[in-house]
Amino acid sequence: MDIVKKIMSKTAYQEFGGIVLSIRKHKEQDALIKIFTLEYGQRMFFVRNYYKANHAMKTALLPFSHATYIGTIKSDGLCFLQDYKEVENFSVIQQDVYLNAYSTYFANLADAAIEDGEVNKELFDLLLVSYQQLQNGLDPEIIMNIFEMNMLRYFGVFPKLGRCAVCGNEKEPFDYSVRYSGVLCTKHFHEDPKRLQIHPAAIHFCRIFQVIQPTQVNQISLKSDTKEAIRQLIDFFYDEFVGIRLKSKAYIDQMYEWEQSMQIVKRKREEEE
Ligand SMILES: [Zn+2]
């Protein structure tokens, strides 16, 4: 009986929900796949022959796949997969180079925010709904901004954007002050000559994005200069307080630059006509 039990425990697999965070080639055919599991936190899985055609688990192991997996979780070292059940693939994201860039950035940020093996259902759900909203065709920039503002807390950053740091006034417009680590109302702008002097709409929306979920976005549409100001403020929070610079974020910034230069060329052509 004891022997049977021993064998059973050796071959017992765990079942867990997961989202594929990253896929890295290992040797010729194998892969190291990082999965954010709901029950065991983020874990590295060794997947043999992943790059061979017709790998049995390929559909459940595409970038950003969300699935129920069956496998072996090791407390230290690499984990292994045996099978999968339901799978949700984000085909729209996978086929779009821009959405891919956003999704990679979300995954990298989630990866950087918590330790491997740290269970965090709230963060798991945030990542999942962000992908679902991209798949549903919502504005990726707004989804990104909500994701980023929600993510700040996992880096221990809580920008106070709701009321003036000097008098508690809740009436906008506000400007952000590093000295007060919060916002100032117009009456107290003079308290910090080095305040950001940012577009007040940026603070207005960042304050909202801090407390809503990507599921609450259906029809927000923002002008491009408002978006630009929001981006500047969020970049400022990450540079100043989080202090990480991800390659995937730099790539998104690059995309914006290309887009802008394309628009300038387009405008010039229109002027010439
Ligand atoms: Zn004030």
Side-chain angles (χ1 to χ4, degrees), residues 83-103:
D83 207 349
Y84 68 97
K85 283 180 172 174
E86 301 88 22
V87 58
E88 177 180 21
N89 268 319
F90 300 111
S91 53
V92 175
I93 298 177
Q94 282 155 4
Q95 287 157 19
D96 183 300
V97 66
Y98 292 98
L99 296 182
N100 238 290
Y102 288 108
S103 301

Side-chain angles (χ1 to χ4, degrees), residues 37-191:
T37 76
L38 183 57
E39 294 85 352
Y40 304 97
Q42 300 176 1
R43 303 278 179 158
M44 193 65 88
F45 290 80
F46 178 77
V47 182
R48 193 175 293 285
N49 292 328
Y50 176 78
Y51 289 97
K52 273 197 178 159
N54 304 324
H55 186 274
M57 288 193 65
K58 202 60 165 267
T59 48
L61 293 173
L62 295 170
F64 325 117
S65 286
H66 168 228
T68 303
Y69 299 96
I70 296 154
T72 317
I73 300 286
K74 297 268 174 88
S75 53
D76 52 354
L78 295 170
C79 305
F80 298 90
L81 292 168
Q82 186 66 22
D83 207 349
Y84 68 97
K85 283 180 172 174
E86 301 88 22
V87 58
E88 177 180 21
N89 268 319
F90 300 111
S91 53
V92 175
I93 298 177
Q94 282 155 4
Q95 287 157 19
D96 183 300
V97 66
Y98 292 98
L99 296 182
N100 238 290
Y102 288 108
S103 301
T104 303
Y105 172 48
F106 296 177
N108 292 167
L109 212 50
D111 190 350
I114 58 170
E115 296 288 326
D116 286 359
E118 188 182 325
V119 178
N120 193 323
K121 186 183 184 308
E122 196 185 64
L123 179 54
F124 182 95
D125 289 342
L126 175 66
L127 185 65
L128 182 58
V129 297
S130 298
Y131 287 159
Q132 286 166 341
Q133 292 296 66
L134 292 183
Q135 172 78 12
N136 293 339
L138 275 96
D139 187 330
E141 282 178 78
I142 295 174
I143 298 302
M144 173 174 76
N145 295 153
I146 295 171
F147 186 79
E148 289 173 312
M149 286 308 294
N150 270 270
M151 283 302 294
L152 283 173
R153 75 177 73 112
Y154 300 112
F155 294 103
V157 179
F158 304 89
K160 293 185 219 79
L161 307 177
R163 58 183 66 196
C164 174
V166 175
C167 69
N169 178 12
E170 292 178 20
K171 197 171 176 300
E172 294 178 286
F174 292 131
D175 198 356
Y176 191 82
S177 160
V178 175
R179 189 200 282 172
Y180 285 90
S181 25
V183 290
L184 298 176
C185 73
T186 46
K187 267 188 259 167
H188 293 102
F189 277 2
H190 67 274
E191 295 283 344

